[in-house]
Amino acid sequence: MDHCAAVLLLFPESFSNDLPDPEYHKAARQHVQKVENLSKDGLLAKFAPQLLPQIDPAVNSISFLALLLESLSDRSTKKIDAILPHLVRFLMTFDARQIRYAGTQMSNLLSAFADFERAPMINDVWEHTINPSMAGSLTLWQASLVVDLLATALLRIDPTGSVLTAHHLTLVRLAYTSNNIEPALPVLEKTIVFYPGAKPTLAPKFLCDMAVHPTAYITPETGLGSKVTPSTVLKYDALRALCFIQRRSWQQAFDSLQRVITHPAGPGVCSNIMADSFQKWQLVGLLLNGKAPSLPPSVSVSAQNIYLTTGKAYIAISQAFESNTATALIQEYGRYTQDEWVADGNLGLIKTVLSHYQRWKIADLRHIYTKISLEQIRALTQSAETGASLGSEQQVLDLVQDMIATGMLKGEVIPAVADGSKPAHLVFHSLTEELSSAAFSAEMADTAQRIAALAPLVETLSERLETSREYVRHMARDAARFKDKSAGLGSGSHPFEAQVDDEDLMIGLSTTR
């Protein structure tokens, strides 16, 4: 055991903290090989229980990870319970720089989290209800811990949260099916920009270089990221949307669903996930803006045709939502039976739309009035749940105050004058309030910070574009056309060639989406 411990503790204690990248790179690779040799000899499995408490996972991350994997090979309940504290300690403190050299091992550890859930198909969890039994044998407390640990680990590996991996899909499934969304939000709220395996990828000279973007080390070659399929991308965004719907974060849910329905697809190609997401996108658009959303121009004609066919009932709901009375909306809702809404997985969402109809009609009164009595609001608006106006002025007051409290409505209710000369009424506030000097400065600082955070992403995207074969070819032909124009041939000499070049360039970009 002493020999085994000596090898495990060798790196990085035997080196100075400011070791140059070339030397660190060499030492880390050699250490990984030595640890693998210990594993092949059976020494890690033999001494793991005694060695785990003696090694600091924040310092000897590669060694600790190897011990964990050996310990987790025994899946007995008693053994797992004993390992859990060490697993938590590791995932909360591991050195992300070291882990770049043990990418396959780290992915194997994170893949074990998939065992905690039955990996339900996406259509099995569309309905806006929670079924804790879908989370396998986990208790709710265990599920919360697992989600928190996995989210923490993913952000330690990639602080930008911009690179999608298969572990992201495991995380979002666990979060949604166990109703533990909060711990996953630091990952789910990040914007995915890059996908492992997309070409071109600029390989770093040294994995330990802390200046490189995560796309340089989260790759199939390092083992930290496997090539993701279009299905993985669609499922991840669709499940993210469900998580945001669960939290009533309509803007985030809308954006996630829009990523799904605008996913690049070939002619006549439109997956079930895309079609189902269109239905939800329609409903969430109503909740977000109070009107039917318009399809982005990037949606292909074939996908549009499929959406118009499979989402006919939802388009009708969206159109009826914009009518001045609740009757049309109630009629469209009644054309489907409750079982049919359940079959689509949208019963909870459609009921939320019905409950928000009157709220949006009240909010839209701002376009006509600067102030309006509560009695007038009662007379002008109806509930899409009952088809009638509210029963009393007090009910109107309760609804309006709730809208103000949730931020859906900017305004204030002025109580009635005691002598009856003025009734209780709602005064609408301007949607664009003037900011104080301090608030304006804070907003500007926040904007500057967000722009600065985007700089590394823009730089990495530019590097990928500039090394793209399609981009290089496009630039070469652009230069040739310019040369021809200068020679008097004119830029209109090759109209077809110019069109093909631009299309090829866009195809090249879509593959790195």
Side-chain angles (χ1 to χ4, degrees):
M1 188 176 81
D2 290 342
H3 167 69
C4 188
V7 173
L8 294 176
L9 294 171
L10 185 63
F11 180 84
E13 272 98 328
S14 58
F15 302 94
S16 62
N17 292 331
D18 58 349
L19 194 68
D21 284 349
E23 295 179 37
Y24 187 100
H25 180 76
K26 180 179 178 181
R29 295 184 67 178
Q30 289 176 344
H31 183 68
V32 169
Q33 187 59 56
K34 291 177 182 178
V35 172
E36 289 179 354
N37 291 337
L38 291 177
S39 178
K40 291 176 182 177
D41 294 340
L43 296 177
L44 293 186
K46 181 178 180 180
F47 298 117
Q50 297 96 316
L51 290 173
L52 277 172
Q54 300 179 29
I55 294 180
D56 185 351
V59 177
N60 307 103
S61 299
I62 293 173
S63 300
F64 200 92
L65 172 59
L67 291 171
L68 271 181
L69 289 173
E70 291 290 351
S71 301
L72 287 170
S73 60
D74 182 350
R75 295 305 180 89
S76 66
T77 302
K78 185 176 180 180
K79 193 67 175 288
I80 293 295
D81 289 342
I83 295 303
L84 186 58
H86 300 300
L87 178 64
V88 172
R89 199 156 53 101
F90 173 76
L91 292 176
M92 298 294 288
T93 65
F94 68 84
D95 181 355
R97 189 185 188 198
Q98 286 187 47
I99 291 305
R100 296 179 186 183
Y101 292 90
T104 300
Q105 296 89 329
M106 188 66 181
S107 282
N108 288 341
L109 179 66
L110 296 182
S111 294
F113 282 83
D115 295 341
F116 291 130
E117 48 106 10
R118 295 174 182 165
M121 294 301 293
I122 190 75
N123 290 332
D124 295 334
V125 292
W126 270 125
E127 177 51 26
H128 189 191
T129 56
I130 295 300
N131 182 3
S133 66
M134 296 178 71
S137 60
L138 289 179
T139 65
L140 290 179
W141 176 86
Q142 288 171 326
S144 177
L145 176 62
V146 167
V147 171
D148 194 9
L149 288 175
L150 185 52
T152 300
L154 290 176
L155 284 180
R156 290 183 69 81
I157 295 170
D158 173 17
T160 71
S162 61
V163 185
L164 182 68
T165 69
H167 310 304
H168 284 71
L169 185 55
T170 298
L171 173 69
V172 71
R173 275 175 161 164
L174 278 169
Y176 180 71
T177 58
S178 67
N179 195 19
N180 282 281
I181 298 168
E182 188 77 26
L185 286 178
V187 173
L188 302 185
E189 291 180 338
K190 299 287 188 182
T191 300
I192 297 296
V193 182
F194 305 102
Y195 303 89
K199 300 296 182 182
T201 299
L202 300 178
K205 191 172 183 180
F206 304 110
L207 283 177
C208 56
D209 183 357
M210 299 304 290
V212 300
H213 190 269
T215 52
Y217 57 83
I218 302 178
T219 65
E221 291 75 21
T222 66
L224 275 175
S226 57
K227 188 172 183 179
V228 296
T229 64
S231 176
T232 300
V233 176
L234 290 171
K235 288 179 180 179
Y236 178 69
D237 280 323
L239 278 169
R240 280 178 75 230
L242 290 181
C243 288
F244 292 135
I245 288 172
Q246 188 81 339
R247 293 176 54 80
R248 294 176 174 255
S249 300
W250 305 128
Q251 183 66 64
Q252 291 173 307
F254 186 81
D255 292 343
S256 296
L257 291 167
Q258 189 153 294
R259 284 172 64 91
V260 177
I261 68 171
T262 58
H263 188 86
V269 176
C270 180
S271 69
N272 289 336
I273 294 177
M274 294 172 69
D276 291 343
S277 292
F278 173 78
Q279 298 172 357
K280 284 182 170 53
W281 179 76
Q282 283 281 325
L283 299 178
V284 171
L286 296 176
L287 293 168
L288 177 62
N289 297 312
K291 60 182 181 180
S294 300
L295 272 173
S298 57
V299 177
S300 67
V301 174
S302 58
Q304 288 184 41
N305 292 334
I306 293 173
Y307 293 155
L308 293 176
T309 301
T310 61
K312 187 178 296 184
Y314 296 88
I315 295 171
I317 287 287
S318 295
Q319 293 171 343
F321 194 91
E322 298 186 32
S323 62
N324 292 325
T325 62
T327 304
L329 181 57
I330 293 172
Q331 288 177 344
E332 291 301 335
Y333 170 67
R335 295 185 193 279
Y336 251 35
T337 66
Q338 183 160 305
D339 287 344
E340 287 175 308
W341 292 118
V342 170
D344 282 351
N346 290 322
L347 179 61
L349 199 52
I350 194 73
K351 286 187 173 181
T352 304
V353 167
L354 294 178
S355 70
H356 275 62
Y357 172 80
Q358 187 170 21
R359 290 171 178 260
W360 271 109
K361 293 309 167 187
I362 293 174
D364 286 344
L365 291 173
R366 70 164 69 92
H367 301 302
I368 304 173
Y369 303 94
T370 56
K371 58 183 178 180
I372 182 173
S373 70
L374 299 187
E375 183 57 35
Q376 281 181 291
I377 293 176
R378 192 181 76 84
L380 290 173
T381 64
Q382 304 90 39
S383 165
E385 294 173 295
T386 64
S389 299
L390 293 178
S392 67
E393 188 175 294
Q394 182 60 46
Q395 289 180 321
V396 176
L397 176 61
D398 293 341
L399 178 59
V400 168
Q401 287 181 330
D402 183 67
M403 291 173 64
I404 293 172
T406 58
M408 185 177 180
L409 181 66
K410 286 190 175 183
E412 62 178 318
V413 176
I414 307 299
V417 177
D419 62 8
S421 60
K422 285 187 178 181
H425 60 280
L426 169 66
V427 176
F428 292 100
H429 290 172
S430 172
L431 294 177
T432 56
E433 298 178 356
E434 292 187 6
L435 296 176
S436 65
S437 177
F440 179 76
S441 297
E443 188 170 308
M444 290 297 292
D446 180 63
T447 301
Q449 186 176 4
R450 284 187 282 115
I451 292 174
L454 288 174
L457 297 180
V458 173
E459 183 180 354
T460 303
L461 280 171
S462 296
E463 289 176 352
R464 283 197 166 193
L465 179 62
E466 289 168 4
T467 56
S468 163
R469 179 183 61 187
E470 291 81 6
Y471 181 77
V472 172
R473 185 174 62 180
H474 173 79
M475 293 301 293
R477 292 186 179 179
D478 239 13
R481 284 197 295 270
F482 180 76
K483 184 178 180 181
D484 289 345
K485 182 178 180 181
S486 300
L489 297 179
S491 59
S493 304
H494 312 286
F496 179 73
E497 179 186 1
Q499 180 182 355
V500 171
D501 285 347
D502 290 340
E503 290 176 352
D504 286 348
L505 177 59
M506 292 307 296
I507 292 171
L509 287 175
S510 68
T511 60
T512 61
R513 180 179 182 268

